[in-house]
Amino acid sequence: MNGAPESLWQWAVPALIVFGAAALLASASIWALRRARRSPRARAAAEAERTAAGSALVRLDDAVAELDIEVGLSGALYDGTAPTALRRARMTAQHARDEAFAEFRQLDADTHPDEVTRVSRRIRARTDAATAAIAHARTEHADWMDANVTATAQVRAAQERWASLRDQIGDPQALLDELAARFDASEWTDAARAATDAHAGLAEAERLLRDAAERAADPTRSALAALTRAERTIRRTQTAARTLEENHRVVLDAADAVAGQVEAARGALRQAATVRSGLEPADAERLGAQMREIEAALTAEERHALRRPTATVVAVARLRDRLDLALGDARTAQQRLRGARTALPGTLAAARNAIAHAAPAVARSGADARVRLATAEQELARARGADDPVAALDAARRALRDAEDASALADYDRLTRG
């Protein structure tokens, strides 16, 4: 009777040892595999894939920017009779770029290396396909141009665009003189740089167009290279002109609004004092210390408000943000709503100014800066379209932070390239 249990144990014990060892080995293998996938080498490989995807995304973003202008010129100059492939390619490329921006934005330090690699490769495949479609469409458009528009006509059209741009820009110095008479130099540095770029661009484009016209008149020579360089210069000059106008408008708008923003901030402090009166002593003391610091900082900023309005508007928006954090959940819903309504205009202006400041530098930077600026623009649009002032204020603050991050990333790119 005892033989059966003994034989069972003689069979079971070795089996348990074997299966137990196998389970331990499997667990160890899985642990080792997971560790390897998160090792520094795996992360470095994933970062290389992410960098390659970012480079492809930058190329696509540049191609879309050029295609936007080319599509506009095609419709304006040739009555919309140019090949529709340009428009189709633009829509496809914009959609691919926006989706790639959204995916690239999610790849942060906490993302698993395997996921970084997978998403980065998908981004590269999508952006490379869109870039190739743009190249094909532009080739088709160039063939159409060769068949339907002479070099002389192309040069004449470019000269007309140059003349229109010259008239549009007018005298940039007049705008700068207006800013210099009223504001600190730090307020119009970007505008001065854009004015210099616009003036130089007009002169360079005029020289290139003269060269292209001479070549177009000679059947033995090609005007294509000079015309292409002139077209690119005109586009850069248009961008500089828009930057000048935007910076000029931002500074004047800030000058008109800064006094109201300072007063609204003081009103928010008075409202905070009312909230403070209902708090427990320890909480009231902490809030009071924050309020005193905020009021002192506001007074310091107010001294320079007339000479540095955009900087003051940004500083006041940050102080309002700090006050909201100090108040926390102590306010009623009605008080939060009233505070958001008064803080929103200044925060929107600060975000708009930060985006305008970041845009020129980001245009020459890598994918991280471009994605962050695109996020800032989306948040600003969300803030402007929101019906709830509290949600709009939150979105405007995110736009401000993203725009400043984009500027910092662009500066880092410039320094590392240098």
Side-chain angles (χ1 to χ4, degrees), residues 69-371:
I69 299 174
E70 194 162 341
V71 168
L73 293 176
S74 171
L77 296 173
Y78 314 120
D79 300 323
T81 57
T84 57
L86 277 180
R87 292 171 178 79
R88 288 198 302 267
R90 179 181 63 172
M91 291 179 62
T92 301
Q94 285 175 333
H95 184 65
R97 179 199 60 188
D98 294 344
E99 286 189 346
F101 270 157
E103 288 189 307
F104 193 87
R105 189 183 304 127
Q106 303 304 317
L107 300 180
D108 54 28
D110 295 329
T111 307
H112 194 285
D114 288 352
E115 179 69 4
V116 172
T117 298
R118 183 181 65 81
V119 173
S120 296
R121 288 175 178 172
R122 185 169 67 229
I123 290 173
R124 284 183 66 188
R126 180 180 298 160
T127 55
D128 287 346
T131 303
I134 288 176
H136 177 75
R138 296 184 74 178
T139 299
E140 181 179 335
H141 182 246
D143 293 341
W144 181 91
M145 292 278 289
D146 290 340
N148 292 274
V149 184
T150 66
T152 301
Q154 292 182 55
V155 171
R156 187 183 307 114
Q159 289 172 331
E160 291 174 357
R161 292 195 298 277
W162 176 88
S164 175
L165 179 59
R166 178 198 58 196
D167 294 341
Q168 173 194 335
I169 293 174
D171 181 15
Q173 192 59 46
L175 297 180
L176 295 180
D177 290 343
E178 178 187 4
L179 295 176
R182 295 178 56 188
F183 308 113
D184 188 80
S186 61
E187 291 286 300
W188 46 273
T189 299
D190 291 342
R193 186 182 301 113
T196 299
D197 291 344
H199 185 269
L202 283 175
E204 176 67 7
E206 184 180 25
R207 184 188 67 78
L208 290 169
L209 287 173
R210 280 200 305 268
D211 184 29
E214 293 174 1
R215 292 173 179 274
D218 185 348
T220 64
R221 305 170 72 190
S222 172
L224 181 60
L227 187 58
T228 300
R229 289 196 299 273
E231 186 62 50
R232 290 183 181 276
T233 303
I234 289 173
R235 295 175 188 181
R236 288 197 304 270
T237 306
Q238 288 173 326
T239 300
R242 286 193 297 269
T243 300
L244 171 61
E245 292 173 358
E246 176 67 10
N247 277 274
H248 179 262
R249 183 164 53 250
V250 163
V251 175
L252 293 185
D253 287 350
D256 291 339
V258 67
Q261 292 306 312
V262 171
E263 179 54 36
R266 295 202 179 281
L269 282 168
R270 290 191 292 271
Q271 184 186 100
T274 302
V275 174
R276 178 173 175 260
S277 64
L279 298 178
E280 294 295 328
D283 294 332
E285 178 57 32
R286 281 194 294 270
L287 178 57
Q290 287 285 329
M291 289 172 58
R292 287 190 292 273
E293 292 179 7
I294 291 170
E295 185 169 13
L298 183 62
T299 300
E301 292 295 336
E302 190 176 14
R303 296 192 189 103
H304 310 289
L306 293 179
R307 291 289 296 172
R308 297 204 296 261
T310 61
T312 304
V313 165
V314 172
V316 170
R318 290 193 175 283
L319 291 173
R320 293 294 300 270
D321 192 7
R322 181 178 169 185
L323 181 60
D324 281 353
L325 289 174
L327 286 165
D329 297 327
R331 295 170 299 172
T332 65
Q334 185 178 13
Q335 287 170 332
R336 282 195 295 273
L337 187 62
R338 186 162 57 247
R341 285 198 180 108
T342 60
L344 182 58
T347 308
L348 284 172
R352 177 186 166 198
N353 175 59
I355 289 173
H357 174 74
V362 169
R364 301 184 294 274
S365 299
D368 287 306
R370 296 185 189 212
V371 168

